[in-house]
Amino acid sequence: MSRDEFRQYGKETVDYIVDYLENIQKRRVVPAIEPGYLKDLIPSEAPNAPESFESVMEDFEKLIMPGITHWQHPRFHAYFPAGNSFPSIIADMLSDAIGCVGFSWVSVKAACPAMTELELIMLDWFGKMIGLPAEFLPLTENGKGGGVIQSSASECNFVTLLAARFEIMKELRQRFPFVEEGLLLSKLIAYCSKEAHSSVEKACMIGMVKLRILETDSKFRLRGETLRNAIQEDRNLGLIPFFVSTTLGTTSCCSFDVLSEIGPICKENELWLHVDAAYSGSAFICPEFRPLMNGIEYAMSFNTNPNKWLLINFDCSTMWVRDRFKLTQALVVDPLYLQHSWMDKSIDYRHWGIPLSRRFRSLKLWFVIRMYGIDGLQKYIREHVRLAKKMEAMLRGDAKFEIVNEVIMGLVCFRMKGDDETNQTLLTRLNASGRIHMVPASLGDRFVIRFCVCAENATDKDIEVAYEIISQAAQHVLHDSVK
Ligand code: PLP
């Protein structure tokens, strides 16, 4: 593709994007295809001769689009929002054009200083915006803290576990110099609640440490007393508690573990406290939600995904640590070809995570924060919360339904009064219609349906339409069950 062709096709593609998003509600939310549908439509071998942009785009609309789940559709209410906005798309285009791979501040051949420096400044801005204690912020004078952008919350959960594991193993090796390392490792135990994201379990599995999954209270929150008892029981068994992964805004029902109770217990027992606020962390830009973070001063690490609820396209998962050396000591490997003369004066983000190569993700944060302003972003979050409460009120006013979670952010968990099978039938029927998309969760061993406000410009009308679709389908389910 020549530069002139790129100029033309690039503009056509921007037009395509705007038209797609403007008319997205005309499409089914979820595709009506069977697994493997594409295999029969695309040639089994790659083409030898170049093809035209027009023919590729034609196939994109004809073959790919029918297999797309439209996460930006006003009737998409599954999972959590997939952040998206025009400023973020533009920043990603620029990042793609620069096309650099910024693993170090600077080095002889590669990397990119502006990328590292903007990441530092954005983690400082965003950390301040959500009210993180100054010890976490990268630019606090003489501070030990720091922030980094990872690809996903799963990765944040994993690297913090690795950091905590490294720290405890360092201490244990000193205390028990003659005990085999494998034996020490086999004694380590981490904790999370039943509602923690599955990535915590995965992190422990890969990290080869035991995980104890703890019960929650009636509001699906991990409480201090439960943790205290578990630690005591495990110590009595000769195990070594070292890591607690808490969640602010759980995936299943957006509940908030009680950090103010858990924090002091972690401090007392010298456990690494991690806080996963993948979805709800962005809401802390609104001061009224910050009491949910009380106890954050005890945390060693915190993560949230602006690519979920801050209008930033995937990927952009921000993570802060109270002591950056405790993170990097677990991850530093320094071959000669990656060393450079500025190492003692700069941050090399290659030591903060698993990949070496990194995208210019801070550019998206910079564009979005500047172009919406904190005011615009607060308005967006508050509007989603208001609309979730509207849906909650409509469902509460309908005798067919019950609400199962405490609606604090943009997520409503509900079910039809009746058994799990009835609710499974309802959800299957709704998703098969292609008119709306939601996913289930299991709460207190009951099947519940999650309704999340996701679209950037969701309106009252959207919520009313969604409620009507749900209520009518429930009516049909009831009707069919008495036949
Ligand atoms: N943690 C929580 C609390 C989540 O809700 C999710 C996903 O929804 C994750 C972790 C995993 O996020 P990611 O897809 O960024 O790995």
Side-chain angles (χ1 to χ4, degrees), residues 160 163-164 167 242-244 270-274 300-301 321 326:
T160 48
E167 188 62 13
F242 79 107
F243 181 73
V244 182
E270 296 180 11
L271 311 192
W272 182 299
L273 172 60
H274 176 62
M300 287 297 288
S301 47
V321 280
K326 291 203 165 136

Side-chain angles (χ1 to χ4, degrees), residues 169-187:
M169 287 298 283
K170 194 168 74 176
E171 188 200 317
L172 291 175
R173 273 194 300 266
Q174 275 167 8
R175 269 172 58 202
F176 307 106
F178 303 111
V179 178
E180 213 249 309
E181 239 181 68
L183 185 61
L184 295 174
L185 190 65
S186 74
K187 301 281 178 201

Side-chain angles (χ1 to χ4, degrees), residues 80 151-155 157 197 199 247 249-251 276 278-279 305 307-308 314 317:
F80 283 133
S151 303
S152 67
S154 306
E155 221 172 291
N157 287 334
H197 189 260
S199 56
T247 318
T250 57
T251 320
D276 175 6
Y279 162 67
N305 287 26
N307 67 256
K308 287 192 182 352
F314 184 79
S317 198

